[in-house]
């Protein structure tokens, strides 16, 4: 393989400067400011700040509301990641077998990919609304009273359902591409060795999809933690009250609504540490079980 070489070391550094500047301005600077603010009690009107050490962190550790949000975030992330991956994999396997009308079938499954999270949340409101929602009326006919925005778990079900629905097309595209990349000769050999379609999937197809699945696992955890903000904000209509909240949404509520900038910064630092731990675990332990060749 021919390797690219630069005549002078200054030229590659010059090419890297714009990207490094963007990372420094939009990540390291805000992250550093959040770490600094987490040790201060900020005046909400900007008239000053008082150094309080780790008080903001100890307050978080003893806050029942924060611990409740952390517990809900764990449940929310686990369910959204698992069902978004499982349903997308099932649909991709079925779509891979479709011969007639394959493009139409795939387009119908992928169109949700173009829907923005707040729009997905608005569609969720229309489906789960207490008085006019189609799903609410369907549940009412079955004798189930559903109250979005009032009942804690009813609201949680709507958040999880809409978040799963929004993420399925992304996973579907990657899984379908992974399935179509499996060589035809491998499939034919597998059909000769094992006539059972279920056994062929778990023994041959699923291991070959492991790199794609590992990549999607990381993407889906990140999506569940950070990219569902628009969906949650739309479903709780900006008035969280006693409704469930993820940790990211609590940072917004405490920081911008409650004007607790020090506590909100401490929450942001906790999230950064959480993401760092997840990244290390994923790449140090899970990736070792993935074979790319």
């Amino acid at each position: 393989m021919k390797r690219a070489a630069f005549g002078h070391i200054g030229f590659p550094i010059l090419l890297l400067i714009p990207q490094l500047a963007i990372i420094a301005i939009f990540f390291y600077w805000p992250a550093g400011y959040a770490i600094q603010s987490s040790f201060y009690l900020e005046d909400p009107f900007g008239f000053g700040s008082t150094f309080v050490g780790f008080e903001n962190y100890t307050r978080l550790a003893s806050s029942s509301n924060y611990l409740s949000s952390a517990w809900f975030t764990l449940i929310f992330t686990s369910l959204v990641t698992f069902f978004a991956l499982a349903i997308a994999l099932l649909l991709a396997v079925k779509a891979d077998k479709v011969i007639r009308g394959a493009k139409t079938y795939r387009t119908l499954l992928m169109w949700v990919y173009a829907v923005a999270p707040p729009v997905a949340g608005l569609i969720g409101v229309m489906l789960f609304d207490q008085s006019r929602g189609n799903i609410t009326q369907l549940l009412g006919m079955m004798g189930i009273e559903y109250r979005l925005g009032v009942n804690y778990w009813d609201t949680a079900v709507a958040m999880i359902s809409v978040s799963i629905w929004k993420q399925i097309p992304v996973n579907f595209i990657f899984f379908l591409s992974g399935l179509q990349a499996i060589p035809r000769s491998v499939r034919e050999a597998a059909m000769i060795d094992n006539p059972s379609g279920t056994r062929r999937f778990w023994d041959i197809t699923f291991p070959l999809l492991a790199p794609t699945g590992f990549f999607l696992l990381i993407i889906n955890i990140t999506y569940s933690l950070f990219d569902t903000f628009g969906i949650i904000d739309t479903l709780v209509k900006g008035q969280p009250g006693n409704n469930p909240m993820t940790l990211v949404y609590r940072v917004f509520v405490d920081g911008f609504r409650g004007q607790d900038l020090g506590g909100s910064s401490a929450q942001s630092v906790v999230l950064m540490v959480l993401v760092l731990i997840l990244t290390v675990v994923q790449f140090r332990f899970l990736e070792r079980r993935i074979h790319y060749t």
Side-chain angles (χ1 to χ4, degrees):
M1 180 182 294
K2 186 177 180 181
R3 299 182 61 182
F6 294 96
H8 193 275
I9 193 173
F11 185 63
I13 293 176
L14 182 64
L15 294 177
L16 286 174
I17 284 177
Q19 183 64 34
L20 293 176
I22 291 173
I23 294 174
I25 293 173
F26 292 102
F27 178 73
Y28 287 113
W29 186 15
Y33 185 75
I35 294 173
Q36 179 189 7
S37 298
S38 68
F39 295 106
Y40 286 84
L41 182 63
E42 302 276 353
D43 185 280
F45 300 101
F47 292 122
S49 58
T50 305
F51 182 77
V52 293
F54 288 93
E55 183 179 324
N56 288 323
Y57 292 97
T58 56
R59 190 152 48 90
L60 287 182
S62 59
S63 170
S64 60
N65 290 331
Y66 185 76
L67 295 178
S68 175
S69 294
W71 178 244
F72 174 73
T73 302
L74 178 63
I75 298 173
F76 177 83
T77 303
S78 302
L79 292 177
V80 171
T81 301
F82 175 77
F83 284 106
L85 287 172
I87 296 173
L89 179 59
L90 176 64
L91 293 174
V93 170
K94 297 299 181 185
D96 191 44
K97 297 177 181 178
V98 172
I99 299 176
R100 297 185 61 182
K103 289 185 178 179
T104 303
Y105 182 67
R106 293 167 188 169
T107 302
L108 289 174
L109 289 173
M110 290 189 291
W111 73 271
V112 183
Y113 179 67
V115 177
V119 178
L122 182 60
I123 294 173
V125 171
M126 295 168 64
L127 292 173
F128 292 99
D129 185 78
Q130 288 187 57
S131 56
R132 300 183 298 274
N134 295 334
I135 294 179
T136 303
Q137 292 178 356
L138 180 63
L139 293 174
M141 294 171 62
M142 299 168 62
I144 301 173
E145 185 182 11
Y146 188 89
R147 296 183 298 174
L148 175 66
V150 178
N151 184 281
Y152 182 94
W153 288 110
D154 286 352
T155 308
V157 168
M159 289 179 180
I160 294 170
S161 302
V162 176
S163 299
I164 292 172
W165 172 72
K166 176 71 181 69
Q167 187 64 6
I168 285 175
V170 180
N171 298 335
F172 172 78
I173 293 170
F174 281 95
F175 275 133
L176 185 61
S177 300
L179 286 169
Q180 293 180 342
I182 297 176
R184 187 177 182 85
S185 57
V186 174
R187 297 190 183 199
E188 293 175 348
M191 291 180 68
I192 295 173
D193 291 340
N194 197 332
S196 171
T198 304
R199 289 290 303 276
R200 282 202 308 274
F201 174 79
W202 290 112
D203 293 344
I204 306 298
T205 306
F206 191 74
L208 290 174
L209 282 176
T212 304
F214 176 69
F215 169 74
L216 289 176
L217 176 66
I218 298 172
I219 294 296
N220 279 261
I221 291 176
T222 306
Y223 160 78
S224 305
L225 285 173
F226 299 104
D227 292 345
T228 51
F229 180 90
I231 294 174
I232 295 171
D233 187 54
T234 308
L235 285 172
V236 299
K237 301 175 183 176
Q239 299 175 350
N242 294 323
N243 288 315
M245 278 189 287
T246 60
L247 290 178
V248 171
Y249 195 71
R250 179 164 288 281
V251 170
F252 166 74
V253 170
D254 290 348
F256 290 90
R257 299 277 176 79
Q259 296 295 310
D260 181 13
L261 300 181
S264 179
S265 298
Q267 294 180 37
S268 300
V269 174
V270 171
L271 280 173
M272 281 194 288
V273 173
L274 176 64
V275 171
L276 180 63
I277 293 173
L278 283 174
T279 304
V280 172
V281 170
Q282 286 168 345
F283 284 94
R284 290 292 299 275
F285 298 102
L286 295 182
E287 194 182 27
R288 292 178 179 177
R289 299 176 181 273
I290 307 299
H291 303 284
Y292 292 95
T293 57

